[in-house]
Amino acid sequence: GAGVSQSPRYKVAKRGQDVALRCDPISGHVSLFWYQQALGQGPEFLTYFQNEAQLDKSGLPSDRFFAERPEGSVSTLKIQRTQQEDSAVYLCASSLGTSGRDADTQYFGPGTRLTVL
Amino acid sequence: AQKVTQAQTEISVVEKEDVTLDCVYETRDTTYYLFWYKQPPSGELVFLIRRNSFDEQNEISGRYSWNFQKSTSSFNFTITASQVVDSAVYFCALFYYGNNRLAFGKGNQVVVIP
């Protein structure tokens, strides 16, 4: 089946603009995660959904960051009034999230590279 | 707090050599999961292997093998007979319930020279 997809793959924004990044998880995956990856670093957790419920948003760096998953499938990460320090790759991952040996293995999308000028 | 340390940053090997990546982790949980992911230049993180904390048996999958030592909190990964397509950044990651997130190391850049 299809893997995790993300769009757009690349986004250039002027400082102060709002952006919206989309994630389409693997069909049937209950859990969805967003990570931020700065250049040369490992991904850092942003937020976690189980179905439509956002269970953990402790990694969001500021209140300019907002994520939603209204119907429990597609998710959108929105960044308001973008700043240069928001430039990074934003990765989305999904997992089955149910019981079972490999239920918690996270599968990642290709990411969205955001550049804020 | 959970922490994953990958000491080496860049490793260069000649094709067909073996390459071993070191990973040391910290966690107070007794049940956790360890992963290795590969990130080629295209940017997508590709799942390679998973090891559960309660299963210390080391395994081999194709050209990949791993050595999980709970006593030293290490989870090392070896690519046997490296190929140019193995050139990528490799991340070690830790997951446990209650946190519901992967904690990643900084990654190892592997360059395989033909």
Side-chain angles (χ1 to χ4, degrees), chain B residues 1-113:
Chain B
Q2 278 38 249
K3 185 178 176 183
V4 176
T5 302
Q6 294 178 252
Q8 312 113 299
T9 52
E10 182 168 327
I11 302 168
S12 294
V13 296
V14 176
E15 198 172 19
K16 297 185 182 176
E17 287 183 342
D18 297 349
V19 54
T20 294
L21 308 179
D22 299 327
C23 174
V24 175
Y25 62 92
E26 295 176 28
T27 180
R28 284 178 282 187
D29 286 82
T30 55
T31 300
Y32 51 89
Y33 306 90
L34 293 161
F35 298 83
W36 279 96
Y37 284 86
K38 173 183 179 180
Q39 189 172 43
S42 60
E44 182 171 348
L45 273 168
V46 178
F47 165 70
L48 296 178
I49 59 172
R50 166 193 173 123
R51 172 55 59 205
N52 304 329
S53 61
F54 44 86
D55 182 1
E56 288 198 62
Q57 182 179 355
N58 294 310
E59 296 182 19
I60 297 173
S61 175
R63 294 188 298 111
Y64 300 149
S65 62
W66 48 98
N67 187 347
F68 175 42
Q69 297 280 347
K70 206 169 180 179
S71 59
T72 56
S73 298
S74 66
F75 184 50
N76 298 336
F77 174 69
T78 297
I79 305 171
T80 302
S82 59
Q83 301 174 2
V84 173
V85 294
D86 296 327
S87 296
V89 180
Y90 290 81
F91 290 98
C92 180
L94 168 69
F95 176 93
Y96 72 101
Y97 287 109
N99 206 16
N100 288 306
R101 67 186 69 182
L102 284 167
F104 286 87
K106 290 189 175 181
N108 294 128
Q109 173 76 61
V110 172
V111 178
V112 180
I113 303 165

Side-chain angles (χ1 to χ4, degrees), chain A residues 4-6 21-26 29-35 45-56 67-69 72-77 91-97 106-107, chain B residues 100-101:
Chain A
V4 178
S5 61
Q6 292 185 245
L21 313 180
R22 176 189 168 105
C23 172
D24 207 332
I26 294 172
H29 277 197
V30 168
S31 299
L32 185 144
F33 306 80
W34 283 98
Y35 293 84
F45 170 82
L46 293 177
T47 187
Y48 157 62
F49 289 85
Q50 190 173 74
N51 293 306
E52 69 278 3
Q54 188 175 22
L55 299 186
D56 188 346
E68 59 183 7
R69 194 186 184 196
S73 55
V74 171
S75 176
T76 304
L77 175 67
L91 293 163
C92 176
S94 69
S95 69
L96 274 171
Q106 294 182 28
Y107 296 91
Chain B
N100 288 306
R101 67 186 69 182

Side-chain angles (χ1 to χ4, degrees), chain A residues 36-114:
Chain A
Q36 180 189 59
Q37 186 176 22
L39 190 64
Q41 301 295 316
E44 296 280 346
F45 170 82
L46 293 177
T47 187
Y48 157 62
F49 289 85
Q50 190 173 74
N51 293 306
E52 69 278 3
Q54 188 175 22
L55 299 186
D56 188 346
K57 55 181 181 179
S58 61
L60 296 176
S62 77
D63 58 7
R64 296 185 296 104
F65 287 70
F66 172 76
E68 59 183 7
R69 194 186 184 196
E71 297 178 359
S73 55
V74 171
S75 176
T76 304
L77 175 67
K78 297 179 179 178
I79 309 173
Q80 298 176 323
R81 305 182 304 282
T82 52
Q83 303 294 315
Q84 284 189 323
E85 61 263 29
D86 300 334
S87 295
V89 175
Y90 292 86
L91 293 163
C92 176
S94 69
S95 69
L96 274 171
T98 56
S99 61
R101 177 179 171 86
D102 296 313
D104 296 298
T105 297
Q106 294 182 28
Y107 296 91
F108 284 79
T112 295
R113 182 178 297 276
L114 172 65

